[in-house]
Amino acid sequence: MSEKRRQVVILGAGFGGLQVARGLDGADMDVVIVDRNNHHLFQPLLYQVASAGLAPGTITVPIRSVVGRQKNTRVLLADAERIDLDRQEVVLADGEHLPYDDLVVAVGARNNFFGNTHWAKHATGLKDVRDALSIRERILLSFEAAERSNDPNERQRLTTFVVIGGGPTGVEMAGAISELGRQVLADDYPNVPADSVRVVLVEMAKRVLTSFDEDLSYEAERQLEELGVELRLGQPVTDIQDGYVMLGDERLDVSVVVWASGVKAEAIAAESAMPQDWNGRLMVDGHCCVKGHPSVFAIGDAAHFVPEGEEEPLPGLGAVAMQQGIFLAKQLRRRAARKPLETFKYKDRGTMATVGRSRAVVQGGIKMTGFFAWIAWCLVHVILLMGFRNRAVVLFNWVWAYVTYKRGARLITGQVPIRTTDQALAEKADEAPGQLRESA
Amino acid sequence: MSEKRRQVVILGAGFGGLQVARGLDGADMDVVIVDRNNHHLFQPLLYQVASAGLAPGTITVPIRSVVGRQKNTRVLLADAERIDLDRQEVVLADGEHLPYDDLVVAVGARNNFFGNTHWAKHATGLKDVRDALSIRERILLSFEAAERSNDPNERQRLTTFVVIGGGPTGVEMAGAISELGRQVLADDYPNVPADSVRVVLVEMAKRVLTSFDEDLSYEAERQLEELGVELRLGQPVTDIQDGYVMLGDERLDVSVVVWASGVKAEAIAAESAMPQDWNGRLMVDGHCCVKGHPSVFAIGDAAHFVPEGEEEPLPGLGAVAMQQGIFLAKQLRRRAARKPLETFKYKDRGTMATVGRSRAVVQGGIKMTGFFAWIAWCLVHVILLMGFRNRAVVLFNWVWAYVTYKRGARLITGQVPIRTTDQALAEKADEAPGQLRESA
């Protein structure tokens, strides 16, 4: 055993990063996890926080409580600002330098507004708890304002919600807002008739859920329309301003705009000098090692991984990140033992998306739609959720919501609006143009 | 029946206001509830939100979901700015005027800093959800900062917490922070030894819980010391600044200061032209009617009610507010029917305070301390909590915390610090000195 232990720095405690850390439990290395949040977030259920179904605490666990018993692991609540590749150091926003022997970039993705930074001020993505709380608060405040407004046009605007992007997040969000507005809230707001609540899902492609087979896309579209969601397929968004969205030449007066359209890697990856794709994702080889940088690994949404013999990179799914994390922990142990690295192989166990109550589509070994697909979706998500307490509380909330048609998290906490990370970035960009690169 | 229905405006949907509204269900009147929050808050458990034990959504219910089925009742999410006594109107911050035939002032109390407005910037009361989240966030961030600090003095400061005020809220808060810090968090922060966590409870009187009998005060003090809380009795706070508190000439370097020392009625009562006590509470007669203002009633923390034959006003307890609310709904019906008003009689069913796990004091028909007092405390609070879902989730969280010694709500959401109502008021006072009256 060498005098100096190997230093592993993991940036990000999402699905990927946390698996790397857990896989290194007991290894003869010093492991440091850096994350700007104190919690691991179960992102697939974040839209339920945004739609007042779940409290944020039920889909998060403190990172420390997950790795607290690992003696070789430290957790830093800090903003990693840049990677000094020459010195093999991560520089934190507060000035601390963290040296590494192996660096794991597992920072995940941010919303990508494709160069239109001002859109971030009016459209909210769904990447962290603050995003979700901001959406929840603005939906609830919109109903309060609509209830009090005497102007029918303004009332219609206040109860019009637009979701941009027809992938799983967009589909789930549109369905959830429509259910929340028409089935739950409308009852409590006498001046807001249920059928006046308008939820518009905009997708540039000709169908939703393009990563699924066509028949499942059509089934999801049918389910969305059943819930009262208006589909605008094959339509690009041309502008987003305060209070309205432009679809080509058509102006849509809206209250809340949810952005579920595009992501790019977090700045620390996208702004590094390492090879990357148009989305800022780091180009990695079969070992998840960044090309030309043998000490740096990237996994999950921060990595561009093309499986051997294929052309398309792996999709940005939690399952990919988790499998890569488990794989990478093993490789780091092999490297420490001077064994050769293995090649990562993704096992696709299928994908699923839920549209709402009793509605979902599942594509894996078998295809499922409707009630049984929805039950499968619920089960898989409860099982994947971390922590017994969270599982129990989420399950209880779902059963309660199913039986009562109510939502348990209709809390408005702020008189002061919640400022999202994207808004903060956009304001920073306004102050110092050219300082922030946005992949266009 | 008269052509024009009687208009009842209720300011505040706390324990008192909500009971008035519910008691008027079906009455031949138009009832309007005005509250600046969309939820009713179960304040007795707010300290558990502040100490990361419960999520805020579990101790709140949307006001609309409580009175949603009452056809004669409207809910306005609005800030009531002033009462125009001559025109019998409430003026809202957004300019709307609400005419009333009967006005119920049930606005509750705010923190009273006794003229030291700058204390509000450094000390946080425990009056609304935002207060509690702000305290929770700053406690958790203090541990994160202490974990990373290399300076032992700074580390000690970061893990020193001061609670000012030895009433039930202060006692409960001090016990809860001590448990959180020493039993829950210390495990997860290798650089923070459990016995370095310092919680100081400051009380100007010679004992805590002065509203209880002396033997129960001493028992509570013993229980607090068992939990590691440092008691400073008979000591007045002379200043609160950023990072320290002055107790006489002694300087205490601290991280988070919780204010549980004094309250005064909300501004709309305290700044009205109606007769009031030194705390801004409106002077009411035996019918809860404000003296000299037959159309205005005040209940709960906003009222100064002296029972017949006694000298002291009723204490600021949820039980008083609820009983007055139920009483007042009945009186408003009697008045509409032109029957004479009755006199309110408070039924004292006892008081209780918990110090922490298995520790509490109860004073009512019987006195209890320790484990059984604690079980009684838990039962009473779960039963009083509104909504089946909340009861179930809170009970589950308590059992889970009891068994595992963990806390379920250790979430830091903000990069931006939460700004409390008191801070906002203090800043406003800085900008326009003399505009805000603070009872000294």
Side-chain angles (χ1 to χ4, degrees):
Chain A
M1 255 184 256
S2 64
E3 189 62 14
K4 198 179 158 295
R5 277 154 68 97
R6 219 171 160 79
Q7 304 287 315
V8 179
V9 172
I10 303 169
L11 302 182
F15 286 124
L18 213 49
Q19 288 300 335
V20 178
R22 294 174 102 183
L24 292 177
D25 186 15
D28 185 28
M29 314 173 186
D30 288 325
V31 180
V32 182
I33 306 176
V34 181
D35 200 296
R36 73 159 71 101
N37 292 310
N38 77 329
H39 52 270
H40 166 76
L41 168 67
F42 189 71
Q43 222 161 16
L45 291 181
L46 192 58
Y47 81 95
Q48 295 208 359
V49 174
S51 53
L54 292 175
T58 59
I59 61 160
T60 54
V61 280
I63 299 166
R64 287 186 192 281
S65 78
V66 179
V67 295
R69 291 182 189 176
Q70 295 187 202
K71 293 219 172 96
N72 65 346
T73 307
R74 277 197 305 148
V75 179
L76 294 190
L77 176 69
D79 229 330
E81 205 163 63
R82 63 186 178 84
I83 302 163
D84 190 329
L85 293 165
D86 296 330
R87 295 175 182 228
Q88 302 219 145
E89 285 179 350
V90 173
V91 181
L92 305 182
D94 56 17
E96 192 174 334
H97 289 233
L98 287 179
Y100 63 80
D101 296 307
D102 298 301
L103 176 66
V104 179
V105 181
V107 290
R110 280 224 61 74
N111 303 298
N112 188 356
F113 295 96
F114 306 109
N116 304 293
T117 36
H118 74 276
W119 292 9
K121 292 181 200 164
H122 315 298
T124 308
L126 209 55
K127 282 286 149 198
D128 56 31
V129 169
R130 220 162 22 252
D131 283 347
L133 291 179
S134 165
I135 293 172
R136 177 179 88 184
E137 185 155 314
R138 282 178 306 128
I139 293 174
L140 295 175
L141 285 172
S142 293
F143 274 85
E144 293 291 340
E147 175 70 13
R148 291 189 59 192
S149 171
N150 295 317
D151 173 353
N153 289 331
E154 177 64 359
R155 215 155 53 217
Q156 182 58 66
R157 184 189 75 77
L158 284 165
T159 51
T160 301
F161 306 94
V162 170
V163 178
I164 300 170
T169 302
V171 164
E172 288 170 348
M173 192 71 228
I177 298 177
S178 194
E179 278 191 335
L180 173 71
R182 286 162 172 254
Q183 296 172 10
V184 181
L185 294 182
D187 275 0
D188 284 347
Y189 296 81
N191 289 342
V192 182
D195 54 12
S196 75
V197 177
R198 201 175 160 201
V199 180
V200 183
L201 179 63
V202 185
E203 164 59 46
M204 229 194 300
K206 288 286 181 203
R207 59 181 174 105
V208 301
L209 300 179
T210 49
S211 62
F212 288 67
D213 288 345
E214 272 191 32
D215 52 340
L216 291 181
S217 292
Y218 299 144
E219 175 58 24
E221 288 168 12
R222 199 189 57 73
Q223 292 175 359
L224 284 166
E225 280 169 344
E226 240 174 48
L227 284 174
V229 175
E230 216 176 300
L231 295 172
R232 297 297 189 91
L233 303 175
Q235 295 206 351
V237 171
T238 45
D239 199 11
I240 307 174
Q241 294 286 350
D242 190 21
Y244 68 91
V245 168
M246 297 298 294
L247 303 177
D249 294 334
E250 187 195 356
R251 175 182 161 134
L252 216 59
D253 289 324
V254 300
S255 173
V256 178
V257 183
V258 178
W259 183 261
S261 187
V263 296
K264 58 177 181 196
E266 280 273 3
I268 194 163
E271 291 173 14
S272 74
M274 291 182 279
Q276 49 191 264
D277 68 6
W278 59 282
N279 256 343
R281 292 181 296 186
L282 301 178
M283 309 298 291
V284 295
D285 61 20
H287 319 303
C288 294
C289 185
V290 178
K291 289 176 182 170
H293 296 271
S295 306
V296 184
F297 297 85
I299 55 177
D301 285 2
H304 179 110
F305 184 103
V306 181
E308 230 179 61
E310 292 185 31
E311 284 185 9
E312 287 294 304
L314 291 177
L317 294 173
V320 173
M322 286 180 88
Q323 291 182 27
Q324 288 180 332
I326 293 165
F327 165 85
L328 188 53
K330 200 175 154 200
Q331 305 314 309
L332 291 173
R333 285 173 180 270
R334 288 179 71 90
R335 175 176 277 184
R338 293 167 200 272
K339 290 185 193 162
L341 301 187
E342 299 164 327
T343 298
F344 173 71
K345 278 184 190 65
Y346 174 55
K347 285 182 208 75
D348 185 355
R349 297 207 174 85
T351 45
M352 40 180 41
T354 177
V355 180
R357 186 189 178 81
S358 311
R359 293 177 180 87
V361 293
V362 173
Q363 175 171 330
I366 49 162
K367 285 186 192 176
M368 283 197 284
T369 63
F371 183 75
F372 289 104
W374 181 70
I375 290 290
W377 181 93
C378 288
L379 284 178
V380 165
H381 283 78
V382 160
I383 290 166
L384 287 175
L385 196 63
M386 209 175 276
F388 167 71
R389 195 193 69 92
N390 284 354
R391 280 186 203 128
V393 174
V394 165
L395 198 60
F396 173 77
N397 269 288
W398 284 350
V399 172
W400 187 79
Y402 186 79
V403 174
T404 65
Y405 279 84
K406 283 186 182 170
R407 289 293 178 278
R410 280 168 54 184
L411 182 67
I412 304 177
T413 52
Q415 291 175 301
V416 187
I418 295 166
R419 190 155 147 275
T420 66
T421 312
D422 285 320
Q423 283 166 343
L425 284 172
E427 281 162 26
K428 220 164 121 188
D430 279 353
E431 283 162 23
Q435 289 279 358
L436 274 162
R437 267 174 38 197
E438 179 93 11
S439 50
Chain B
M1 255 184 256
S2 64
E3 188 64 13
K4 198 179 157 295
R5 277 155 68 99
R6 219 168 160 82
Q7 304 288 315
V8 178
V9 173
I10 303 169
L11 301 182
F15 286 125
L18 213 50
Q19 288 300 335
V20 179
R22 292 174 102 183
L24 293 177
D25 186 16
D28 186 28
M29 314 174 184
D30 288 325
V31 179
V32 182
I33 305 176
V34 180
D35 199 295
R36 72 159 72 102
N37 291 310
N38 78 329
H39 51 270
H40 166 75
L41 168 67
F42 189 70
Q43 223 160 17
L45 290 180
L46 193 57
Y47 81 96
Q48 294 209 0
V49 173
S51 52
L54 292 175
T58 59
I59 61 160
T60 54
V61 279
I63 300 166
R64 287 186 192 282
S65 78
V66 179
V67 295
R69 290 182 189 175
Q70 294 187 201
K71 293 218 172 97
N72 65 347
T73 306
R74 276 197 307 147
V75 179
L76 294 189
L77 176 69
D79 229 330
E81 206 164 63
R82 63 187 179 84
I83 302 163
D84 189 328
L85 293 164
D86 296 328
R87 294 176 184 228
Q88 302 218 147
E89 284 179 349
V90 173
V91 181
L92 305 183
D94 57 17
E96 191 175 334
H97 290 233
L98 286 179
Y100 63 81
D101 295 308
D102 297 301
L103 176 66
V104 179
V105 181
V107 289
R110 281 225 59 75
N111 302 299
N112 188 357
F113 295 95
F114 306 108
N116 304 293
T117 36
H118 73 277
W119 293 10
K121 291 180 200 164
H122 315 298
T124 307
L126 208 55
K127 282 285 148 199
D128 57 30
V129 169
R130 221 163 20 252
D131 283 346
L133 291 179
S134 166
I135 293 172
R136 177 179 90 182
E137 185 156 313
R138 281 178 307 127
I139 293 175
L140 296 174
L141 285 172
S142 294
F143 274 85
E144 294 290 340
E147 174 70 13
R148 292 189 56 193
S149 172
N150 295 317
D151 173 352
N153 288 331
E154 176 65 0
R155 214 154 53 217
Q156 183 57 66
R157 184 189 75 78
L158 284 165
T159 52
T160 300
F161 306 94
V162 170
V163 177
I164 301 170
T169 303
V171 164
E172 289 171 347
M173 193 70 227
I177 297 178
S178 194
E179 278 192 334
L180 174 70
R182 286 163 172 253
Q183 296 172 10
V184 182
L185 293 183
D187 275 0
D188 285 347
Y189 295 81
N191 289 342
V192 182
D195 54 13
S196 75
V197 177
R198 201 175 160 202
V199 180
V200 183
L201 178 63
V202 185
E203 165 59 46
M204 227 194 299
K206 289 284 180 204
R207 58 179 175 109
V208 301
L209 300 179
T210 48
S211 62
F212 288 69
D213 289 345
E214 273 192 30
D215 53 338
L216 290 181
S217 292
Y218 299 143
E219 174 60 23
E221 288 168 12
R222 199 190 58 73
Q223 291 175 358
L224 283 165
E225 280 168 345
E226 240 174 46
L227 284 174
V229 174
E230 218 176 300
L231 295 172
R232 296 299 190 90
L233 303 175
Q235 296 208 350
V237 171
T238 45
D239 200 11
I240 307 173
Q241 294 286 350
D242 191 19
Y244 68 91
V245 168
M246 296 299 294
L247 302 178
D249 293 334
E250 187 195 357
R251 176 183 160 133
L252 215 61
D253 290 323
V254 300
S255 174
V256 179
V257 183
V258 178
W259 183 262
S261 187
V263 296
K264 59 176 181 197
E266 280 272 4
I268 195 163
E271 292 174 13
S272 74
M274 291 181 279
Q276 47 191 268
D277 68 7
W278 59 282
N279 256 343
R281 291 181 296 185
L282 301 177
M283 308 298 290
V284 295
D285 61 20
H287 319 303
C288 294
C289 186
V290 178
K291 291 177 181 168
H293 296 271
S295 306
V296 184
F297 298 85
I299 55 176
D301 284 1
H304 179 109
F305 184 102
V306 182
E308 230 179 63
E310 292 185 31
E311 284 185 10
E312 288 295 304
L314 291 177
L317 293 173
V320 174
M322 285 180 88
Q323 290 182 28
Q324 288 181 330
I326 294 165
F327 165 85
L328 187 53
K330 199 176 154 201
Q331 304 315 308
L332 292 173
R333 285 175 182 266
R334 289 180 70 91
R335 175 176 278 185
R338 293 165 198 272
K339 291 187 191 159
L341 299 188
E342 299 165 327
T343 299
F344 173 71
K345 278 185 190 65
Y346 174 55
K347 284 181 208 77
D348 185 354
R349 297 207 175 84
T351 46
M352 39 179 42
T354 177
V355 181
R357 184 189 179 82
S358 311
R359 292 177 180 86
V361 292
V362 173
Q363 175 171 332
I366 49 163
K367 284 185 194 179
M368 283 198 284
T369 62
F371 183 75
F372 289 103
W374 182 69
I375 291 289
W377 182 93
C378 287
L379 283 178
V380 166
H381 283 78
V382 160
I383 290 165
L384 287 176
L385 195 63
M386 209 176 275
F388 167 72
R389 195 194 69 92
N390 285 353
R391 279 185 204 129
V393 173
V394 166
L395 197 60
F396 173 77
N397 270 287
W398 284 351
V399 172
W400 187 80
Y402 186 79
V403 173
T404 65
Y405 280 84
K406 285 185 180 169
R407 290 292 178 281
R410 280 168 53 186
L411 182 68
I412 304 177
T413 52
Q415 291 174 299
V416 187
I418 294 165
R419 190 154 148 274
T420 65
T421 311
D422 285 319
Q423 284 167 343
L425 285 171
E427 282 162 26
K428 220 163 120 191
D430 279 352
E431 283 161 23
Q435 290 278 355
L436 275 161
R437 268 173 38 197
E438 179 94 12
S439 51

